[in-house]
Amino acid sequence: ARPVPPCFLSKHNTPRLLLFQSYACAGGDMSLFPGGSIEWGGGVSRMGNVLDYLSWRGDLSLARAPFGAVDALVLSALSYVHFDGLVPAGPGAPVALAAAARAFLALPAGRQRRCRCERDLELLKALADSPRFGSMELARCAGRFIPREETQFAALTVLPGDGSVFLAFRGTDGTLVGWKEDFNLSFLDVTPAQLTAAEYIQTFAMEFPGSLRLGGHSKGGNLAVAGGALCTVKVRDRIETVWSFDGPGVTPYLLARPGYQELRTRIRSFVPKSSVVGLLLTHEEPHTVVESDQRGLFQHDLYSWQVLGPDFVRLEEVDEGSRLIDRTLKNWLAGLSSRQRETVVDTLYELLSSGDARTVREALEPQNLAVALRSVKDADPKDLLTVAASLARLAGAALRAL
C-alpha cells in the first residue's frame, strides 16, 4: 500500500495544522515558516541553490553566458522585495539593481521587516556584489493591495541590458487576502490580479520596443502566464518567453482563449519533484522537474531548488506523493460546482478574518483561531453544511486516490 502523504493524515490533525496545510496547498509562501516543522536542508545531498549560483556565475556577463532559467528564477525572487520609494512606480528613470539593493539593505530594521524572509536579504547582498546582475536596472515597481476586492498584486520591471526586459510578478504574500485570492482561482474565470498583470504588461509594452520576458514564482508564475494570455495580439507577438516557477495552472476559460494557445510553446514551467502548487488547475504546457533539498510542501520554497553550474538539477518526473495529491485535489474540485467552491472559500475566509488576524501567521495564533471558532455560531448554517460536505468529499477523494 502506498503511504498517505502528511497533507491528508496526521496525528496532530488540529485546526491550526489544517489551516497551515490549506495555505501551503494554495501556494502560500512556505519560507514564512522556517524551521520547526521540517529539518531544513535535510533529505538530499545539497548541490547548490540560487545563492550559490550567484557565487559561481555572478561575475559572468550576459554576453559570455546568455540569460537562462536560473537567471529568471533569481529575478522572480527579486519581485518579493518591497522596493517602494526606492524604485519609481511610474515612467521615471530606472535605478541600478545594485544601488536599489544597497539602499534597501541600508533601511532601518523596521522597514526591512517587510522583507519576506532572511534569504531574500542574502539574495539582495549577493546581487549588489554581482557584475552580472548589479548593473541591471529596475523600474515600474507596482503594487496593489485591496482587501475589499480580494486583490494582492505586485510586479517589478528589470532591464538586463541585452535589449530585452523581464517583467517579474510577485507570488502570494503572507496575508489572508493573498491566500483568499489563490483560492479564488478555483471558481473565477479571471481574477482581478490577472487583469492587473495584463494591464501592467500592456502599459510597459507601449513604452518599450524590445522583446518581453515574463516570469514569476508561485502565483507570480500564474500571473505571468495569464497576464500574457490576456494581452493584445501585438503585445503577445513580442513575448519571447514566459517563466512559471511552481505556478498554478489556469482555468478552462483562459485555457481555451487564443492568447494562451498562442503562448503555450513559449511557456517554460518548472516544478520541484514533490510539487503540489505547480500542478493545480490545468496546464497544457510541459513542465521541467527540479531537484530540491526540502521535503513535501516545503519544496515550494525557491531557495530549496538545486542548481549545478549554469542550470537546475533536472529530474525525469515528479514523485508519487505529488501525483497522489494532484489526483486527489483534482477529483475533489471536479466534484464541486463553482458555486460550492465559492461558498467554501468565502465561508472559511470570513471565519479566519473575523478576529484581528491580517496574515496567515497571525491566523494560526491560538487567540485568533479561538475567535474564528466562536464565529462559527454566527455563520449561515447552509454555508457551514456546504463546507462540511466539501471536506467530507476531500477525505473521500484522498481515499479513492490511494
Side-chain angles (χ1 to χ4, degrees), residues 74 94 137 147 157 238 301 342 365:
V74 169
E137 294 181 320
T157 293
R238 291 169 51 196
D301 176 14
E342 183 175 4
E365 295 173 356

Side-chain angles (χ1 to χ4, degrees), residues 62-78:
L62 292 174
R64 289 187 58 193
F67 192 93
V70 184
D71 298 308
L73 181 61
V74 169
L75 298 185
S76 297
L78 192 64

Side-chain angles (χ1 to χ4, degrees), residues 167-320:
L167 306 183
F169 297 92
R170 184 181 299 168
T172 309
D173 61 11
T175 63
L176 284 172
V177 171
W179 175 75
K180 171 66 162 60
E181 187 183 41
D182 286 345
F183 278 104
N184 287 351
L185 291 169
S186 70
F187 60 83
L188 292 179
D189 287 338
V190 180
T191 67
Q194 290 172 335
L195 293 173
T196 304
E199 180 185 352
Y200 182 87
I201 298 166
Q202 289 279 154
T203 300
F204 188 83
M206 292 173 60
E207 304 168 0
F208 180 79
S211 61
L212 308 173
R213 296 181 179 122
L214 316 178
H217 169 257
S218 190
K219 185 187 75 175
N222 172 277
L223 294 181
V225 172
L230 291 168
C231 285
T232 62
V233 175
K234 286 186 177 180
V235 173
R236 287 201 305 269
D237 287 345
R238 291 169 51 196
I239 296 175
E240 177 184 306
T241 312
V242 182
W243 305 87
S244 177
F245 297 103
D246 211 23
V250 296
T251 59
Y253 170 81
L254 280 176
L255 201 70
R257 286 180 65 92
Y260 175 84
Q261 294 301 323
E262 290 174 16
L263 275 181
R264 185 164 56 88
T265 58
R266 286 172 274 166
I267 298 172
R268 303 290 179 265
S269 179
F270 291 79
V271 300
K273 63 180 179 180
S274 294
S275 176
V276 174
V277 178
L279 300 184
L280 293 174
L281 300 179
T282 306
H283 293 264
E284 282 194 358
E285 76 280 0
H287 58 248
T288 299
V289 182
V290 178
E291 180 65 276
S292 167
D293 68 359
Q294 277 290 5
R295 297 186 181 93
L297 292 168
F298 282 84
Q299 292 186 12
H300 188 58
D301 176 14
L302 63 88
Y303 290 107
S304 76
W305 292 20
Q306 296 294 277
V307 177
L308 187 61
D311 199 4
F312 294 114
V313 178
R314 304 187 179 207
L315 304 175
E316 291 295 324
E317 59 183 9
V318 296
D319 61 25
E320 178 58 28

Side-chain angles (χ1 to χ4, degrees), residues 328-338 340-341 389-390 393-394 397 400:
T328 299
L329 293 177
K330 282 184 168 61
N331 289 339
W332 175 53
L333 289 173
L336 299 175
S337 67
S338 293
Q340 287 172 321
R341 297 176 193 177
S390 72
R393 287 194 185 98
L394 177 57
R400 287 192 298 273

